[in-house]
Amino acid sequence: MNTMLRSALLMSAASASLLAAPSIAQAQTAGEATVDVGEIVVTGSRIRRDTFSSPQPLAVVSAEAIREQGQVSLGDLLLDQPVINPATNSQNSSGTLFLAGQTRADIRGLGPTRTLVLMDNRRLPFSDASSPAVDLNTIPSLMVERIETIAGGVSAVYGSEAIAGVVNFIMKKEQDGLELDIQGGVTQEGDGEEYRAGFNWGSKFFDDKLNILIGGEVASQDTIMQRDRSFGNPGIRRDTRVTPQPIIPASRANTSPFATFQLIGGALGTARSVTLDARNPTNVVRLSAACSTATVQPDCQDPALFYSGPAYNTLQGKSNRQVIRGYADYKITDTWKAFVDLSYLHGSGYGIFQPAFSSAAGGGTMPVVLRGDNAYLNGAGATAAALRAEWLAAGKTFTQGSTAQVGKFWQEFGGRDVKAEREQVKYTGGIEGKFQTFGRDVSMDSYVQYSEVTGTTISFNVPNVARVQQATDAVLLNGAVVCRDAAARAAGCTPWDLVNGASREAILWTNGVASSDQKLSQTVAGINFATDLFDLPAGPVGVAFGGEYRKEKSQFVQDALSASGALFFNAIGTRQGEYDVREAYAEVRIPLLKDVPFAEELTVEAAGRVSDYSTIGGTDQWRVNVTWAPVKDVRFRATESTAVRAPNIVELFAPQGRNFTTTALDPCDSANFRAATAAQQAARRVTCAAAIPGYNPTTFVSNIGTGRPSLALLQGGNPDLGAEKAHTFQYGVVINPRWVPNLQISADFFKYNITDQVGSIPINTLLGALCYDDASRPIEQNQFCQQIRRDRTGATTGGLQGGIFEVVLVQQNVASVKVEGWDYSVSYGFQTEDLFGKDYGSIAMRVDATWMYQWALQGLPTQAYTQFANTITNATPEWKGNASLRWTYDKFSFTWSTLYFGSMIANQAQQAGVIDPFKTGDYFRHDIRATYRLNDDIRLRAGVVNAFNKKPPQLPETFAGTGTGSSQYDNAGRFFFVGANMEF
């Protein structure tokens, strides 16, 4: 044990590297003279034990590491762990309607809803009614003592949501005096400013019976726009017209901030467009053939148009938060105490969206037409005269029935920016202590916790679709320009001049605001017991058992106008529901052998949990662990478990509503047809021909796809959902060779088999494997093809016969996932005096890596699995690693860390040779951090994140902006930070 303790002290100096799956818990602080290894509750088990006997790989981030990282968001900090995949975070939450400013944890890429987040082994409430999961920004980072992460099924110990694993925040409970901490940072471009300021104050009263701790923090992150990074402005895209599809400069949008008019037809290759020159709106410019099509073409580069992506996309969103927490406990007796834990959060996030738009191809969310008798088209001015000349050249007349589709970014309204505000309160109270029964000490803790989250989301500059259509249909009546619609005139309609620019009154009449209110509450009551039943020759048999009651309630209410679908916004309406669950669990630890030949230790552990949900009924889950150390240097560990996840309120009770996606690929599109296998092509010749009049696989260009209008989805919940089920395995070895003091090596195999996974069918799985790649039956007899709605006449898809205008997706227990790989850790540390005979301080080195060679999704039972490991699509590199080197000497420490992602496939739907480049290439990010202890009370720190200013791989799939590109890579660039910690 002495060797392990010394190793723990050395390795704690490397804890700032945030590495996953260490074989011991690194909860100590570098430089401490003593270490408390008394019995505690280690994440993954409720049996009390010391920190070195965890039966599963356990990653620990210390309080010192949290401060030194330079991150203001705990979620962004955890992203450096190889077991954590990117989810909602600072790089992409700005592109969401309701989650702006949140960060979430996602273990193994299985989703934040399958990663259970705890605080002191107790559940935290969901942070949003639109997408239930825990926002890590609700936790005051300065009050965190350590973060423990276990990747693996632990539902038997903690219950639902723990399929992927657990992130447990162990909070500080006491402090002597005042602690202040401040930190600020900025990118080398002078943007993306971040700051955090926090405090902790604690003291004891009444002969140390009453212990009080109060702390809080304020934090903020500022915006980074894509246009402010050279790699993202104007950006790049793939040339989908050729094989292979090389990367070329981004195309300009074939709509302008002013207006683009589709003068002839709507079919590709026959259209002609003119636009008001964005540089000089008094000019009318005839666009090239590439820019006159219904969708953006790769060589659409007319100077009259503009690059829409960099103009509106963000690489980091804007957010701020204020958190305060109070904790107090009172010693009732020497063995019993009562405690309260109270917290309050106010958080704001800002989503930044492009202005509303209309497509020159027609259709879409807000189709607008210019009619031949429009008063402004026939009015005075050079612009109107030039447009009339083009109108006549196109064979049109100045009558009501002669029309042209209008393509336009409606920048007069401004960006459709979203402000999301949330307040969260959490009240926890309980009693814990020890008592004796049958001569045995029994530890007991009980608690009641109530949490409430309220929030408002306001989306600005959201046009009223009908009013825009009414205002732009302006005619001359009795010598005055008015709106054609008499009812609209009576309601105050002000005509909109599409030719010369809108008046302020027209903008105000057509503009709108969308809002939503949400409220969530969680009530939890639990009681836990732990004791040693009796002694075996190898040690005491430990048990833990207890029960928990939990009730979840959620309500989401959209304003009436938005819910009606009248605005340029997702119509969701009202969603509400509740459920409760009663659970009981038991856990036992049996030491079979100890200190005998070939068994320095042999221990078996088992846990089981039964639950009764008001929605899905009864569930059960179990876990078995075996630990065997044949010699002191080697310890084997194995875990097998089952887990469940009950469907949440959104999945159960969400009403069906309209949503949109830009990721859908039409299998019948000529480019996607070329990229398909021979078997897929054979099927599509039959199925696509049945769905699309006159289908030609070499010429059909769909209305959806990269750079084209979004696809409408009809989505919603399902109250008949059942539980997700998982069967997980972990087998590993830990090596601590006595002949190399302080060297630790661990390797752990993991495997997840998840069935009945809740979710809508992946859109491209539905379009491809389940419909158009299945020619075994006519499409009218294929239930999945019936969910794909094509316009055979082209009336709603801009004249494109066979275009897709809507896909129906609802929540179902349909999917299965298989995940498999290995976690590796190597750590080594030494005192330079031991090696060189002179004290130059201590050196600590560590490498952690995850090799996840399988992450496969089965969209439906009996369907083939699609491999997403090593793809940008799922942001899952096959290899992810983190290495660190830390030197500590006297009052100074210096850390160099490297984050590594292996090369990933750009698009798993394509094949090498079809797109070029096909892979991202290996990616390394280097960070430098230093700390200096000025005196016993003041520590200074500084660092450079992404010291070499490493840019994302130069592929369109990796940096297209928040919400559309992968948030795996750092988009901000070189980032400098400084901070100070003071104690009084």
PDB file of all heavy atoms in Angstrom, residues 331-337 431-436 441-444:
ATOM      1  N   LYS A 331     -23.750  18.628  13.842  1.00  0.00           N
ATOM      2  CA  LYS A 331     -23.517  17.374  14.550  1.00  0.00           C
ATOM      3  C   LYS A 331     -24.522  17.237  15.688  1.00  0.00           C
ATOM      4  O   LYS A 331     -24.453  17.944  16.695  1.00  0.00           O
ATOM      5  CB  LYS A 331     -22.101  17.336  15.096  1.00  0.00           C
ATOM      6  CG  LYS A 331     -21.031  17.205  14.036  1.00  0.00           C
ATOM      7  CD  LYS A 331     -19.653  17.098  14.672  1.00  0.00           C
ATOM      8  CE  LYS A 331     -18.566  16.943  13.625  1.00  0.00           C
ATOM      9  NZ  LYS A 331     -17.213  16.862  14.244  1.00  0.00           N
ATOM     10  N   ILE A 332     -25.450  16.324  15.483  1.00  0.00           N
ATOM     11  CA  ILE A 332     -26.438  16.060  16.520  1.00  0.00           C
ATOM     12  C   ILE A 332     -25.785  15.303  17.667  1.00  0.00           C
ATOM     13  O   ILE A 332     -26.002  15.607  18.846  1.00  0.00           O
ATOM     14  CB  ILE A 332     -27.617  15.265  15.935  1.00  0.00           C
ATOM     15  CG1 ILE A 332     -28.234  16.026  14.753  1.00  0.00           C
ATOM     16  CG2 ILE A 332     -28.667  14.978  17.007  1.00  0.00           C
ATOM     17  CD1 ILE A 332     -29.264  15.241  13.998  1.00  0.00           C
ATOM     18  N   THR A 333     -24.988  14.297  17.308  1.00  0.00           N
ATOM     19  CA  THR A 333     -24.165  13.554  18.257  1.00  0.00           C
ATOM     20  C   THR A 333     -22.813  13.343  17.609  1.00  0.00           C
ATOM     21  O   THR A 333     -22.552  13.846  16.499  1.00  0.00           O
ATOM     22  CB  THR A 333     -24.799  12.194  18.601  1.00  0.00           C
ATOM     23  OG1 THR A 333     -24.740  11.346  17.449  1.00  0.00           O
ATOM     24  CG2 THR A 333     -26.248  12.349  19.044  1.00  0.00           C
ATOM     25  N   ASP A 334     -21.954  12.570  18.239  1.00  0.00           N
ATOM     26  CA  ASP A 334     -20.648  12.288  17.653  1.00  0.00           C
ATOM     27  C   ASP A 334     -20.763  11.446  16.394  1.00  0.00           C
ATOM     28  O   ASP A 334     -19.831  11.421  15.576  1.00  0.00           O
ATOM     29  CB  ASP A 334     -19.749  11.570  18.671  1.00  0.00           C
ATOM     30  CG  ASP A 334     -19.317  12.487  19.800  1.00  0.00           C
ATOM     31  OD1 ASP A 334     -19.393  13.718  19.605  1.00  0.00           O
ATOM     32  OD2 ASP A 334     -18.920  11.972  20.871  1.00  0.00           O
ATOM     33  N   THR A 335     -21.858  10.758  16.211  1.00  0.00           N
ATOM     34  CA  THR A 335     -21.995   9.857  15.064  1.00  0.00           C
ATOM     35  C   THR A 335     -23.137  10.233  14.124  1.00  0.00           C
ATOM     36  O   THR A 335     -23.324   9.569  13.105  1.00  0.00           O
ATOM     37  CB  THR A 335     -22.208   8.413  15.547  1.00  0.00           C
ATOM     38  OG1 THR A 335     -23.363   8.369  16.402  1.00  0.00           O
ATOM     39  CG2 THR A 335     -20.986   7.900  16.293  1.00  0.00           C
ATOM     40  N   TRP A 336     -23.884  11.267  14.427  1.00  0.00           N
ATOM     41  CA  TRP A 336     -25.014  11.657  13.581  1.00  0.00           C
ATOM     42  C   TRP A 336     -24.962  13.150  13.286  1.00  0.00           C
ATOM     43  O   TRP A 336     -24.593  13.955  14.133  1.00  0.00           O
ATOM     44  CB  TRP A 336     -26.357  11.339  14.269  1.00  0.00           C
ATOM     45  CG  TRP A 336     -26.639   9.879  14.309  1.00  0.00           C
ATOM     46  CD1 TRP A 336     -26.301   9.000  15.293  1.00  0.00           C
ATOM     47  CD2 TRP A 336     -27.297   9.123  13.299  1.00  0.00           C
ATOM     48  NE1 TRP A 336     -26.703   7.735  14.971  1.00  0.00           N
ATOM     49  CE2 TRP A 336     -27.329   7.780  13.742  1.00  0.00           C
ATOM     50  CE3 TRP A 336     -27.869   9.441  12.060  1.00  0.00           C
ATOM     51  CZ2 TRP A 336     -27.907   6.756  12.995  1.00  0.00           C
ATOM     52  CZ3 TRP A 336     -28.452   8.424  11.319  1.00  0.00           C
ATOM     53  CH2 TRP A 336     -28.463   7.099  11.787  1.00  0.00           C
ATOM     54  N   LYS A 337     -25.320  13.463  12.051  1.00  0.00           N
ATOM     55  CA  LYS A 337     -25.415  14.872  11.675  1.00  0.00           C
ATOM     56  C   LYS A 337     -26.551  15.067  10.691  1.00  0.00           C
ATOM     57  O   LYS A 337     -26.930  14.163   9.929  1.00  0.00           O
ATOM     58  CB  LYS A 337     -24.107  15.380  11.072  1.00  0.00           C
ATOM     59  CG  LYS A 337     -23.759  14.813   9.711  1.00  0.00           C
ATOM     60  CD  LYS A 337     -22.474  15.433   9.179  1.00  0.00           C
ATOM     61  CE  LYS A 337     -22.117  14.884   7.790  1.00  0.00           C
ATOM     62  NZ  LYS A 337     -20.856  15.478   7.282  1.00  0.00           N
ATOM     63  N   ILE A 431     -30.171  13.373   6.798  1.00  0.00           N
ATOM     64  CA  ILE A 431     -29.487  12.933   8.014  1.00  0.00           C
ATOM     65  C   ILE A 431     -28.583  11.769   7.646  1.00  0.00           C
ATOM     66  O   ILE A 431     -28.967  10.880   6.868  1.00  0.00           O
ATOM     67  CB  ILE A 431     -30.499  12.501   9.094  1.00  0.00           C
ATOM     68  CG1 ILE A 431     -31.387  13.679   9.490  1.00  0.00           C
ATOM     69  CG2 ILE A 431     -29.799  11.932  10.317  1.00  0.00           C
ATOM     70  CD1 ILE A 431     -32.489  13.302  10.469  1.00  0.00           C
ATOM     71  N   GLU A 432     -27.378  11.771   8.199  1.00  0.00           N
ATOM     72  CA  GLU A 432     -26.473  10.657   7.974  1.00  0.00           C
ATOM     73  C   GLU A 432     -25.683  10.394   9.252  1.00  0.00           C
ATOM     74  O   GLU A 432     -25.475  11.292  10.071  1.00  0.00           O
ATOM     75  CB  GLU A 432     -25.531  10.930   6.807  1.00  0.00           C
ATOM     76  CG  GLU A 432     -24.665  12.161   6.961  1.00  0.00           C
ATOM     77  CD  GLU A 432     -23.826  12.445   5.726  1.00  0.00           C
ATOM     78  OE1 GLU A 432     -24.351  12.276   4.604  1.00  0.00           O
ATOM     79  OE2 GLU A 432     -22.653  12.816   5.895  1.00  0.00           O
ATOM     80  N   GLY A 433     -25.270   9.151   9.379  1.00  0.00           N
ATOM     81  CA  GLY A 433     -24.505   8.791  10.565  1.00  0.00           C
ATOM     82  C   GLY A 433     -24.316   7.300  10.682  1.00  0.00           C
ATOM     83  O   GLY A 433     -24.470   6.550   9.705  1.00  0.00           O
ATOM     84  N   LYS A 434     -23.991   6.846  11.886  1.00  0.00           N
ATOM     85  CA  LYS A 434     -23.720   5.433  12.143  1.00  0.00           C
ATOM     86  C   LYS A 434     -24.455   4.987  13.394  1.00  0.00           C
ATOM     87  O   LYS A 434     -24.662   5.754  14.334  1.00  0.00           O
ATOM     88  CB  LYS A 434     -22.226   5.195  12.325  1.00  0.00           C
ATOM     89  CG  LYS A 434     -21.389   5.345  11.075  1.00  0.00           C
ATOM     90  CD  LYS A 434     -19.935   4.991  11.362  1.00  0.00           C
ATOM     91  CE  LYS A 434     -19.083   5.110  10.106  1.00  0.00           C
ATOM     92  NZ  LYS A 434     -17.662   4.744  10.357  1.00  0.00           N
ATOM     93  N   PHE A 435     -24.848   3.715  13.376  1.00  0.00           N
ATOM     94  CA  PHE A 435     -25.393   3.089  14.564  1.00  0.00           C
ATOM     95  C   PHE A 435     -24.926   1.643  14.592  1.00  0.00           C
ATOM     96  O   PHE A 435     -24.387   1.134  13.596  1.00  0.00           O
ATOM     97  CB  PHE A 435     -26.921   3.179  14.595  1.00  0.00           C
ATOM     98  CG  PHE A 435     -27.606   2.464  13.455  1.00  0.00           C
ATOM     99  CD1 PHE A 435     -27.990   1.128  13.577  1.00  0.00           C
ATOM    100  CD2 PHE A 435     -27.877   3.129  12.260  1.00  0.00           C
ATOM    101  CE1 PHE A 435     -28.619   0.471  12.532  1.00  0.00           C
ATOM    102  CE2 PHE A 435     -28.513   2.477  11.216  1.00  0.00           C
ATOM    103  CZ  PHE A 435     -28.888   1.143  11.356  1.00  0.00           C
ATOM    104  N   GLN A 436     -25.111   0.992  15.684  1.00  0.00           N
ATOM    105  CA  GLN A 436     -24.674  -0.382  15.829  1.00  0.00           C
ATOM    106  C   GLN A 436     -25.861  -1.320  15.961  1.00  0.00           C
ATOM    107  O   GLN A 436     -26.874  -0.987  16.585  1.00  0.00           O
ATOM    108  CB  GLN A 436     -23.775  -0.542  17.064  1.00  0.00           C
ATOM    109  CG  GLN A 436     -22.333  -0.149  16.822  1.00  0.00           C
ATOM    110  CD  GLN A 436     -21.396  -0.786  17.820  1.00  0.00           C
ATOM    111  OE1 GLN A 436     -21.793  -1.173  18.930  1.00  0.00           O
ATOM    112  NE2 GLN A 436     -20.139  -0.920  17.434  1.00  0.00           N
ATOM    113  N   ASP A 441     -21.145  -1.898  12.971  1.00  0.00           N
ATOM    114  CA  ASP A 441     -21.435  -0.514  12.618  1.00  0.00           C
ATOM    115  C   ASP A 441     -22.226  -0.469  11.315  1.00  0.00           C
ATOM    116  O   ASP A 441     -21.845  -1.118  10.326  1.00  0.00           O
ATOM    117  CB  ASP A 441     -20.142   0.285  12.448  1.00  0.00           C
ATOM    118  CG  ASP A 441     -19.470   0.575  13.773  1.00  0.00           C
ATOM    119  OD1 ASP A 441     -20.172   0.583  14.800  1.00  0.00           O
ATOM    120  OD2 ASP A 441     -18.238   0.782  13.774  1.00  0.00           O
ATOM    121  N   VAL A 442     -23.281   0.287  11.319  1.00  0.00           N
ATOM    122  CA  VAL A 442     -24.104   0.468  10.122  1.00  0.00           C
ATOM    123  C   VAL A 442     -24.105   1.953   9.768  1.00  0.00           C
ATOM    124  O   VAL A 442     -24.459   2.798  10.590  1.00  0.00           O
ATOM    125  CB  VAL A 442     -25.545  -0.020  10.338  1.00  0.00           C
ATOM    126  CG1 VAL A 442     -26.367   0.185   9.062  1.00  0.00           C
ATOM    127  CG2 VAL A 442     -25.559  -1.476  10.754  1.00  0.00           C
ATOM    128  N   SER A 443     -23.694   2.243   8.550  1.00  0.00           N
ATOM    129  CA  SER A 443     -23.751   3.619   8.062  1.00  0.00           C
ATOM    130  C   SER A 443     -25.095   3.853   7.374  1.00  0.00           C
ATOM    131  O   SER A 443     -25.571   2.990   6.630  1.00  0.00           O
ATOM    132  CB  SER A 443     -22.618   3.897   7.081  1.00  0.00           C
ATOM    133  OG  SER A 443     -21.362   3.759   7.710  1.00  0.00           O
ATOM    134  N   MET A 444     -25.687   4.981   7.651  1.00  0.00           N
ATOM    135  CA  MET A 444     -26.971   5.300   7.057  1.00  0.00           C
ATOM    136  C   MET A 444     -26.976   6.744   6.574  1.00  0.00           C
ATOM    137  O   MET A 444     -26.439   7.627   7.238  1.00  0.00           O
ATOM    138  CB  MET A 444     -28.095   5.113   8.078  1.00  0.00           C
ATOM    139  CG  MET A 444     -29.516   5.239   7.482  1.00  0.00           C
ATOM    140  SD  MET A 444     -30.140   6.943   7.358  1.00  0.00           S
ATOM    141  CE  MET A 444     -30.580   7.264   9.048  1.00  0.00           C
TER     142      MET A 444
END
